[in-house]
C-alpha cells in the first residue's frame, strides 16, 4: 500500500494550496483586468470534494484493527493523543493568529469562543479533533451492523452538505466526513481491490466520471441538492486513489509525495500560523506593485507560496525537534509514544493484519501496510464545499 502515503502527501499539498488561495491569494488586491485570481479560486473549488474525504478514507482503513482492540490499548494513541494535540495547537494558533487580526480564518477572541472551539465547534485544526471523535464513535458502536452506521453517517453527510443543519465554524467538516472514515474502516477490502485493479484506462475513466460530475453540478446548480456532494466526493476519492496508485509507480514523483505523506502532522499543525504571518507581511507590498509586476506575480503566486509555507513548516518542525519540543507532536508520558520523533495522524505504529471478520469487505488481497500514516474562492457556479476549513 505505498499509494496510501502518496495519497496523503498529495492531500496535504492540496490542503496547503487551498488555504493559500482562499486565505491569502484572494485577499490581495490584485486589480487585474484578466481573471487570473478567479481561475485559481475555481481550481481550488474543484479539488474540495477530494482532499479531506480521501484523507479520512485512508484514516479509516488504518483504524480497522485498532477498533477491535481493548480500550486500554487504544484509548491513548487513538483518542487521547489527538485530543491532546488539538488542545495544544489550538492554544498556539489562538496566540499567533492574534498577531494577524485581518487573516480570514476562525479564531477565538474570548474565553467563550475558545471553549466552543475546544468542544463543539472545532477550529481549522478540526482534522485532529475528528480523528479522535470518529475513532471513539466507531469503537463504541462496533457491535452495530456496519450497514446501519454507514447509512446513518451518509445521511448526516447529506443533510450537512445540503445546508439543512447549522454548521458554524468547521462543524460541517465533522458532519460530512464521518461517512468516509467509516467507509475506509468497513469497506477496506473494496478500497484495496480498487487500488490493486487500477490501470491507465481505469484512471482515465475515474477522471472522466469526476469531471462529468463536477460539470453537471456546475451546469445544473445542484450543489446543495441532498446527496449530490457526498456522491461527487465518492467519485473524487476513487479518482484520488487511482492517481496515487499510478504516481506510486513513478518514483520521481511518488517518493517525494510519500515522504510528505509521512510528515502530515507537523505540516498540518504548523502551516496556518506561518501563512497568517506571511500574509501580514506580503499582502500590502504586493498590492502596491505596478500592474505588470502584479500580473506576473499573480500567475504562479499560489504555487510559490505553497512551496514556501511547506518548507518553513518542515523547517520549524525540525527546529522544534532539535530543541526537544517533542511534546508538541506527541502525547508525553510513555516511552512507547515518546520514542516516535515524527508521529503522523491516522496511521498505526506497526503493520496491521487485515481487517477483522466483522468488517464489511470481501477477502482482501495481500498488501503491505505503510510504515506509518486533515481541511471562498469565486467560481463559475455554486461550489461544492464538503470540507472547506474556515
Amino acid at each position: 500500500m505505498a499509494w496510501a502515503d502518496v495519497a496523503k502527501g498529495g492531500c496535504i499539498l492540496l490542503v496547503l494550496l487551498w488555504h493559500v488561495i482562499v486565505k491569502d491569494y484572494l485577499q490581495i488586491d490584485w486589480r487585474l483586468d484578466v481573471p487570473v485570481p478567479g481561475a485559481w479560486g475555481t481550481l481550488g473549488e474543484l479539488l474540495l470534494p477530494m482532499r479531506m474525504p480521501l484523507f479520512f478514507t485512508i484514516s479509516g482503513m488504518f483504524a480497522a484493527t485498532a477498533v477491535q482492540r481493548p480500550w486500554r490499548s487504544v484509548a491513548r494513541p487513538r483518542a487521547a493523543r489527538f485530543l491532546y494535540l488539538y488542545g495544544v495547537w489550538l492554544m498556539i494558533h489562538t496566540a499567533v493568529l492574534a498577531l494577524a487580526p485581518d487573516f480570514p480564518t476562525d479564531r477565538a477572541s474570548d474565553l467563550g469562543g475558545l471553549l466552543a472551539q475546544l468542544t463543539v465547534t472545532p477550529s481549522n485544526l478540526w482534522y485532529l479533533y475528528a480523528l479522535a471523535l470518529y475513532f471513539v464513535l466507531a469503537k463504541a458502536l462496533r457491535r452495530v451492523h456496519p450497514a446501519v452506521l454507514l447509512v446513518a453517517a451518509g445521511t448526516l453527510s447529506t443533510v450537512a452538505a445540503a445546508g439543512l443543519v447549522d454548521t458554524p465554524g468547521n462543524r460541517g467538516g465533522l458532519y460530512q466526513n464521518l461517512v468516509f472514515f467509516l467507509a475506509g474502516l468497513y469497506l477496506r477490502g473494496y478500497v484495496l481491490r480498487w487500488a490493486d485493479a487500477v490501470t491507465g484506462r481505469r484512471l482515465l475513466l475515474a477522471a472522466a466520471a469526476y469531471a462529468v460530475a463536477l460539470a453537471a453540478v456546475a451546469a445544473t446548480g445542484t450543489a446543495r441538492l441532498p446527496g449530490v456532494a457526498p456522491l461527487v466526493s465518492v467519485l473524487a476519492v476513487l479518482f484520488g486513489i487511482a492517481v496515487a496508485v499510478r504516481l506510486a509507480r513513478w518514483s520521481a514523483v511518488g517518493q517525494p509525495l510519500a515522504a510528505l505523506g509521512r510528515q502530515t502532522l507537523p505540516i498540518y499543525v504548523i502551516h496556518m500560523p506561518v501563512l497568517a504571518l506571511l500574509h501580514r507581511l506580503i499582502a500590502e507590498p504586493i498590492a502596491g506593485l505596478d500592474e505588470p509586476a502584479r500580473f506576473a506575480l499573480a500567475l504562479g503566486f499560489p504555487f510559490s507560496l505553497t512551496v514556501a509555507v511547506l518548507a518553513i513548516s518542515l523547517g520549524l518542525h525540525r527546529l522544534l525537534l532539535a530543541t526537544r519540543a517533542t511534546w508538541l507532536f506527541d502525547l508525553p508520558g510513555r516511552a512507547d509514544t515518546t520514542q516516535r520523533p515524527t508521529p503522523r495522524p491516522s496511521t498505526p505504529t506497526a503493520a496491521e493484519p487485515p481487517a477483522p471478520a466483522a468488517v464489511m469487505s470481501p477477502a482482501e488481497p495481500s498488501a503491505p501496510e505503510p510504515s506509518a500514516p486533515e481541511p471562498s474562492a469565486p467560481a463559475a457556479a455554486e461550489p461544492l464545499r464538503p470540507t472547506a476549513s474556515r
Side-chain angles (χ1 to χ4, degrees):
M1 280 182 60
W3 63 266
D5 278 340
V6 173
K8 291 190 287 97
C11 285
I12 198 64
L13 285 179
L14 293 180
V15 169
L16 262 65
L17 178 63
W18 170 248
H19 288 163
V20 164
I21 291 173
V22 75
K23 298 179 184 297
D24 177 82
Y25 182 67
L26 294 178
Q27 307 303 318
I28 296 174
D29 184 11
W30 293 99
R31 304 191 310 280
L32 299 176
D33 294 329
V34 290
V36 176
W40 275 104
T42 299
L43 175 63
E45 294 279 3
L46 293 177
L47 296 171
L48 274 179
M50 180 194 304
R51 55 187 181 85
M52 297 313 292
L54 180 54
F55 243 144
F56 281 111
T57 299
I58 296 173
S59 298
M61 291 176 67
F62 288 110
T65 300
V67 165
Q68 303 300 320
R69 293 174 181 162
W71 276 109
R72 63 179 178 274
S73 65
V74 296
R76 179 184 173 88
R78 291 286 180 169
R81 175 169 168 251
F82 292 126
L83 290 176
Y84 163 81
L85 291 173
Y86 175 74
V88 167
W89 282 96
L90 176 61
M91 300 304 173
I92 295 172
H93 279 215
T94 301
V96 175
L97 291 173
L99 302 176
D102 295 329
F103 186 69
T105 194
D106 282 350
R107 85 279 304 282
S109 58
D110 53 39
L111 184 59
L114 183 61
L115 182 60
Q117 289 192 335
L118 280 169
T119 54
V120 296
T121 306
S123 72
N124 52 57
L125 293 162
W126 66 276
Y127 176 67
L128 299 176
Y129 184 98
L131 283 177
L133 178 63
Y134 292 173
F135 181 81
V136 169
L137 286 174
K139 174 72 174 165
L141 300 175
R142 67 189 184 281
R143 299 190 185 281
V144 178
H145 196 281
V148 175
L149 295 178
L150 288 168
V151 169
T155 301
L156 178 63
S157 180
T158 295
V159 298
L164 301 179
V165 294
D166 188 29
T167 56
N170 289 287
R171 201 184 297 173
L174 282 180
Y175 293 164
Q176 294 176 54
N177 285 284
L178 174 59
V179 66
F180 294 100
F181 181 87
L182 294 177
L185 181 70
Y186 291 117
L187 304 179
R188 184 173 182 267
Y190 293 102
V191 176
L192 290 175
R193 279 191 170 184
W194 166 249
D196 288 343
V198 167
T199 60
R201 180 182 179 184
R202 293 190 178 189
L203 171 60
L204 292 176
L205 289 174
Y210 183 32
V212 168
L214 290 173
V217 170
T220 59
T222 54
R224 286 285 190 170
L225 191 68
V228 170
L231 177 59
V232 173
S233 286
V234 169
L235 296 176
V237 168
L238 294 176
F239 171 60
I241 291 172
V243 171
V245 169
R246 298 295 291 185
L247 289 179
R249 301 170 187 171
W250 184 14
S251 60
V253 176
Q255 289 181 3
L257 282 177
L260 287 180
R262 292 188 288 269
Q263 301 181 79
T264 53
L265 174 60
I267 298 170
Y268 180 72
V269 297
I270 294 174
H271 83 274
M272 190 68 78
V274 169
L275 180 60
L277 296 179
L278 287 176
H279 176 73
R280 180 173 181 176
L281 291 174
I282 65 178
E284 289 189 10
I286 290 175
L289 296 173
D290 58 35
E291 184 171 352
R294 291 197 311 273
F295 176 74
L297 193 58
L299 292 175
F301 186 78
F303 174 78
S304 300
L305 187 57
T306 297
V307 172
V309 172
L310 175 64
I312 294 172
S313 299
L314 291 175
L316 287 174
H317 176 233
R318 290 187 179 184
L319 178 62
L320 289 168
L321 291 183
T323 60
R324 299 183 181 276
T326 54
W327 57 274
L328 289 172
F329 304 101
D330 206 353
L331 177 63
R334 286 190 183 179
D336 60 344
T337 57
T338 57
Q339 288 174 354
R340 295 176 306 197
T342 54
R344 292 170 294 278
S346 75
T347 303
T349 58
E352 296 185 350
V359 172
M360 290 173 56
S361 64
E364 296 179 14
S366 176
E369 300 281 1
S371 57
E374 208 282 224
S376 128
E382 183 183 0
L384 285 164
R385 300 189 183 193
T387 53
S389 297
R390 298 178 185 175

